[in-house]
Each structure stands twice: as structure tokens, then as C-alpha cells.
Amino acid sequence: MAKIIVVTSGKGGVGKTTSAAAIATGLALRGKKTVVIDFDVGLRNLDLIMGCERRVVYDLVNVIQGEAGLNQALIRDKRVENLFILPASQTRDKDALTQEGVEEVLDTLKETFDYILCDSPAGIERGAQLAMYYADEAIVVTNPEVSSVRDSDRILGLLSSKTRRAVQGDDPIKEHLLVTRYNPERVTQGDMLTLDDIREILAINLLGLIPESDAVLRASNQGVPVTHDADSDAGQAYTDTVSRLLGEDVPLRFHEWQKKGLLSRMFGGGRR
Amino acid sequence: MSLKMDSATMAFTFKGGMLPMTIMELNSADPERIRRQLAGKLTQSPAFFQHTPVVLSVEKLNEPHLALERICAVCRDHKLLPVAVKGGAEPVKQSAWALGLGWFPSSDGGRGRILETVDTENSKPTEPLPAPQAASGELAATRLYRGTVRSGQQVSAAEGDLVVVGAVNAGAEVLAAGNIHVYGALRGRALAGIHGDLSAGVYCRELHAELLSVGGNYKRLEDIDSRLLGAPAEVHYSAEQLEIRPLV
């Protein structure tokens, strides 16, 4: 049975799309048939991050409005087998999505995929609520920053009240915390919230921690999900995150600040 | 977003609710006296008598038998809609049921039972509370909430105490007619005694509250002595201001 996972945050710019792309790639690399859906109608980005922007013909809105079939809109990833992208429309607005339409698309995808990732738009309005409504699990992306943590807290409240599982009284959505842009050095200096602070306030299971990294920016601009950059700290952190999502017990990395020694300064070390 | 699926699959759902209810406290069982007083009130404030549901409280009457049917008729003549009877002996209960009205036990009896088992030092004084809403149903009114109250959420106990086993996060709001207990960090807003009960208090394991209020008297985070923050604390109204003390 396919799992529907929403990647959400409330606040914009915290790394939802980067994380959705990286985790979808990681799942596909582990042999899971995965599709990642861009719910950010009007502000589509996922296709850029996935590097398939030149191959978009039809999108989610076309499918929901019956203008194209699902198979026409799904884009097969060029790098990994088993990975598909369902892009958002750049010209429509979020009202073009209907709850029934989204349900139909998800039900069809469930028949053939193992994992369905929904990349939520920022905010708590209709688009974000539609992206989360049918989810079985949620990955809440948070930066070590007060406003991001508060918005994530708000999203967690909605996840427990405005989703199908909540409305129908089924088992609650499984909530995961993904902390991104974590800079252990700045945390130590007191510029950022510590991991413990975030975990205490949000009180949900920690799925992963992604260090602030040049590799993420590089990956975004090249259109190659950072999971492919296996030498980078962020790429490894996303790989760890995917392993935990699959139920494996992986120790946390990259959360402590190590002053660079002479050798790592000379040779660049493993972390870039 | 529409939540149509819910109503489509179920004919109805039961929900716990706390509705404001007018209680008509009877000092006399004489229907004619009631009629005269109602007629006077009707001319003073006609807007009030719009088929307003009322609960007839007969707690103060020590009569085993009441002319309940005639009292109800008088009320209906003046556009008051009796929905239930509160207090009274067994015959009163039976005749209320016969008239299609609900029956609530007398709160005095209930209160007496509670006081036997609760530490009297921490319980509220037994004199009637100022607001009419607070006077109804003190029994079993404590609301227990387990889990984190998150930003944007509001948890309230409209009649009694509120106990939160978990944290109240920034941007969340907890309200109670009585006391508020937070077994966790209190980072949001906490308003105790929302119907005007100045004897209510707020208790928490870790004080970071954005706002504290007892019976409408409030303090903002900025007004709170920073030495009290981050530690267990209790908040009361005394000497015409909010007093925040470390909880030991």
C-alpha cells in the first residue's frame, strides 16, 4: 500500500522543495517507486530543483481538470529509475485544485507507487491544506529560528485537526521533524536555536538534521537533488533521513560543531 | 476547506458543548407572583424575551411538590422557553420529565460531595460566583487536555478548571472559568477566571507566558519580572493586582 507523505512547514524558504526532491530521490535510489507532486500552483519550483523544467508539458491542474491523463503529466526522472515528478501549473492559481480532484489523482497514483510525496506550498491556506489533507505521514521542515519553529507548531496543529485522518477519526498522521539549514557553529555562538530547543517546543519525532551547506545551493541551481552529491554533508544527511523514514536506526550526524583541525584545514576535510 | 466527507457518512455526531444558559432562580413557587414580575421585566427589556431558553432552578424552594406546569405556562406566555429544571426532590424530577423537560441535580449537593474529597485549601470558596454562567454545573467541569497546545490553537474550559498535561506553545491560548494548570512549559496566553472569578489561578511548570490573566486582570510577558521566567510559577489576583510567585 502506498504511503502519502506531505512535506510542509508553514513558513516559506525553509527548504520544503529541496527536501521533497532530495527525499524522493533517496527513496527511489533505495528501490522504492516514488512520485513527488508539486502542490505550489502558480509558483512552481520542484521541476527546477529536479532538473526537468524543460520537459514539462502537462501539470497537476491539467490532470484534475481533465485536460490530460495522469500518464501524460508524469515526468520520468532521467537519473534514477522509479522516480517520477508531477509538476504544478505556473499559470493557474490554487483555486484550480479541488479536493475531489486531488483525491482522484492520489488514488490512481496509489495503485502503482510505493511513496507519494506532496510538496506543500508555504502558508496555511487552501493549497497547503489540500497538500496535507490525504497524507498518512508528514515531514515538517523547520529552520533553527524562532519564527520558523512557531509556524511549524501551527502546521502541526492543522495536521491534527484539518486532515482526513483527523476528520474521520482514523489513526493520527505520523509526524516527523526535519531540521534544515542547521549551522552548529552559529548554534554554539547562540545565533540559532539549538536542536534541543526545537525538539522541546515541537515535541515530535526527529527524522533528520540537514546542515547548512553550499552543496544545497549548488544542487538547486544545477537541478540535481543534493542526495546525488554523496560526498557532501547535506547529501549524506538526506540519505540518513531516508533510511530513518524507511524505519532504520541511524545515528545523528552533523549536529555538533567540530573546530577544524590543522589536517582538515589543509586537506579540506570531508565536509564542504 | 470543506469537511463534507464527515457529514456525508454520518447522520449526526455527538459533541460536548458548553452553551451560555440563563438560569431562572425561583424564590417563590407562586405562578401569579412570577407572572407579575415577568410582566414588569418584559416592558423593561423586551429584547431579552425572544423565546430565550431558561433553566428553572428550584434549589432555593423547599417544597416537595411544585405547580411546574403552571410555572412553565407563565414563562411561555412571556416568551421564555423552559428547557430544564435544576434541583428539587424526586416528585419535581418526575413532573419535569413528564413535561418533556430535562432535569439537573442540585449543585449544592454536588458541591458538598466534592468538598469531602478535595483538599479544601486549594478549592474555590463556596459563595456563588459573580457571573450567571459560572453558577451552573460546577460538577465534573474540569477539562483535561493531553498533548501540546500548539500555536493558533485555543483550548478552553467554559465552566470549570483546565488541566493541560503538556506544553502550551507561543501563539496558543488556554482559557478557563476556573483555574488553569499546565504540567509543562507555558509559552502562550493563559486566561483564568474568564467569567470574572478573581479567586482563580494559573499554575505552570515553566513560565514563559505571553499573557497571564485572572478575571480580566492581565500581565504581559514584558511586565513579568524576568527572574520568574523559566521556572515553576503560580499566578493569583491579590491586592488588586496579579501576583506571580515561584511555585515550590
Side-chain angles (χ1 to χ4, degrees):
Chain A
M1 188 62 180
K3 262 190 192 151
I4 302 177
I5 304 178
V6 61
V7 182
T8 185
S9 70
K11 197 173 168 64
V14 295
K16 276 185 299 298
T17 302
T18 299
S19 297
I23 292 170
T25 302
L27 285 167
L29 285 169
R30 296 286 301 267
K32 307 289 177 192
K33 193 167 181 195
T34 305
V35 57
V36 53
I37 309 175
D38 192 349
F39 272 83
D40 204 349
V41 177
L43 289 170
R44 81 172 195 226
N45 282 161
L46 182 67
D47 51 331
L48 292 170
I49 306 283
M50 298 292 298
C52 63
E53 73 276 10
R54 295 180 187 187
R55 293 190 287 142
V56 176
V57 181
Y58 296 109
D59 54 53
L60 178 61
V61 171
N62 292 136
V63 176
I64 284 180
Q65 312 241 316
E67 296 154 0
L70 193 51
N71 287 328
Q72 289 174 288
L74 284 174
I75 302 173
R76 181 187 289 271
D77 188 78
K78 277 186 175 170
R79 298 181 192 87
V80 202
E81 232 185 314
N82 292 325
L83 180 59
F84 291 80
I85 299 106
L86 184 52
S89 169
Q90 182 72 347
T91 49
R92 311 287 189 90
D93 60 37
K94 289 180 177 70
D95 295 332
L97 296 180
T98 60
Q99 190 167 317
E100 296 74 21
V102 170
E103 182 176 21
E104 214 178 303
V105 168
L106 291 175
D107 281 346
T108 313
L109 291 172
K110 267 183 172 177
E111 290 165 14
T112 43
F113 285 92
D114 300 318
Y115 283 90
I116 302 167
L117 264 71
C118 302
D119 180 22
S120 171
I124 54 172
E125 312 308 328
R126 186 180 163 79
Q129 294 200 15
L130 273 174
M132 70 168 67
Y133 190 75
Y134 295 102
D136 303 307
E137 301 189 16
I139 297 174
V140 178
V141 184
T142 306
N143 288 170
E145 185 207 331
V146 179
S147 59
S148 172
V149 171
R150 183 176 300 191
D151 291 359
S152 294
D153 194 42
R154 182 86 169 90
I155 280 289
L156 284 165
L158 294 177
L159 284 168
S160 62
S161 63
K162 296 273 169 128
T163 52
R164 178 162 69 173
R165 282 176 175 268
V167 169
Q168 296 190 345
D170 300 340
D171 291 342
I173 284 190
K174 207 165 157 189
E175 301 156 336
H176 307 280
L177 173 64
L178 179 63
V179 178
T180 55
R181 295 199 166 164
Y182 197 79
N183 184 330
E185 186 177 347
R186 295 192 64 189
V187 169
T188 310
Q189 289 164 357
D191 296 344
M192 284 182 170
L193 288 179
T194 69
L195 183 62
D196 289 341
D197 289 340
I198 302 170
R199 294 184 72 177
E200 198 205 318
I201 293 173
L202 296 181
I204 56 169
N205 161 54
L206 180 69
L207 182 68
L209 177 136
I210 314 299
E212 189 166 49
S213 166
D214 294 341
V216 173
L217 185 65
R218 196 163 54 234
S220 296
N221 286 325
Q222 290 174 350
V224 182
V226 71
T227 323
H228 287 295
D229 190 352
D231 294 333
S232 70
D233 49 359
Q236 292 170 17
Y238 274 115
T239 304
D240 288 357
T241 302
V242 169
S243 301
R244 290 189 203 103
L245 194 59
L246 293 171
E248 292 161 28
D249 195 11
V250 183
L252 199 63
R253 296 194 272 175
F254 312 117
H255 61 296
E256 277 164 351
W257 182 37
Q258 275 132 12
K259 274 195 180 161
K260 279 188 179 163
L262 183 63
L263 281 176
S264 64
R265 260 185 287 168
M266 283 172 67
F267 298 109
R271 292 176 51 190
R272 288 186 281 150
Chain B
M1 186 157 53
S2 79
L3 304 175
K4 270 181 270 163
M5 338 199 57
D6 193 22
S7 51
T9 51
M10 286 187 282
F12 62 85
T13 49
F14 277 118
K15 291 194 172 166
M18 302 281 189
L19 298 170
M21 186 65 83
T22 305
I23 295 183
M24 195 168 164
E25 180 97 62
L26 298 181
N27 295 317
S28 159
D30 178 2
E32 281 315 306
R33 280 187 63 193
I34 296 170
R35 181 189 298 278
R36 278 197 298 279
Q37 196 178 338
L38 275 176
K41 284 248 193 270
L42 184 57
T43 48
Q44 281 168 19
S45 49
F48 179 74
F49 296 89
Q50 297 287 333
H51 300 289
T52 310
V54 292
V55 174
L56 297 174
S57 170
V58 299
E59 287 171 300
K60 288 193 175 173
L61 305 177
N62 277 326
E63 296 167 46
H65 295 275
L66 294 169
L68 213 48
E69 198 172 358
R70 283 184 60 204
I71 296 174
C72 288
V74 168
C75 289
R76 287 197 201 95
D77 287 347
H78 294 84
K79 294 202 175 159
L80 288 182
L81 211 60
V83 291
V85 174
K86 184 160 180 266
E90 187 65 23
V92 175
K93 178 158 102 180
Q94 294 300 333
S95 53
W97 286 347
L99 288 167
L101 301 175
W103 184 82
F104 293 107
S106 167
S107 46
D108 287 344
R111 204 167 235 185
R113 277 209 306 281
I114 271 198
L115 289 178
E116 283 162 23
T117 53
V118 167
D119 177 9
T120 43
E121 270 190 294
N122 292 331
S123 63
K124 286 187 280 176
T126 44
E127 72 253 16
L129 302 172
Q133 289 95 325
S136 65
E138 292 87 341
L139 255 187
T142 295
R143 177 163 182 204
L144 173 67
Y145 184 96
R146 278 184 194 278
T148 310
V149 186
R150 301 194 179 276
S151 178
Q153 290 181 328
Q154 196 184 51
V155 175
S156 66
E159 292 198 18
D161 293 358
L162 175 66
V163 176
V164 178
V165 183
V168 176
N169 277 351
E173 191 169 72
V174 287
L175 312 103
N179 304 292
I180 296 175
H181 304 259
V182 180
Y183 295 95
L186 172 55
R187 306 184 182 97
R189 302 155 70 96
L191 294 88
I194 50 172
H195 299 316
D197 183 2
L198 293 173
S199 66
V202 179
Y203 307 81
C204 67
R205 286 261 294 266
E206 200 183 313
L207 182 72
H208 296 285
E210 290 170 342
L211 184 104
L212 290 165
S213 164
V214 172
N217 302 277
Y218 66 87
K219 265 195 177 168
R220 300 168 302 171
L221 181 54
E222 204 179 88
D223 311 323
I224 301 173
D225 185 344
S226 58
R227 285 169 298 182
L228 293 163
L229 297 180
E234 59 176 313
V235 183
H236 291 282
Y237 182 75
S238 89
E240 304 203 342
Q241 61 170 347
L242 275 201
E243 189 192 2
I244 307 172
R245 280 195 312 238
L247 188 64
V248 275

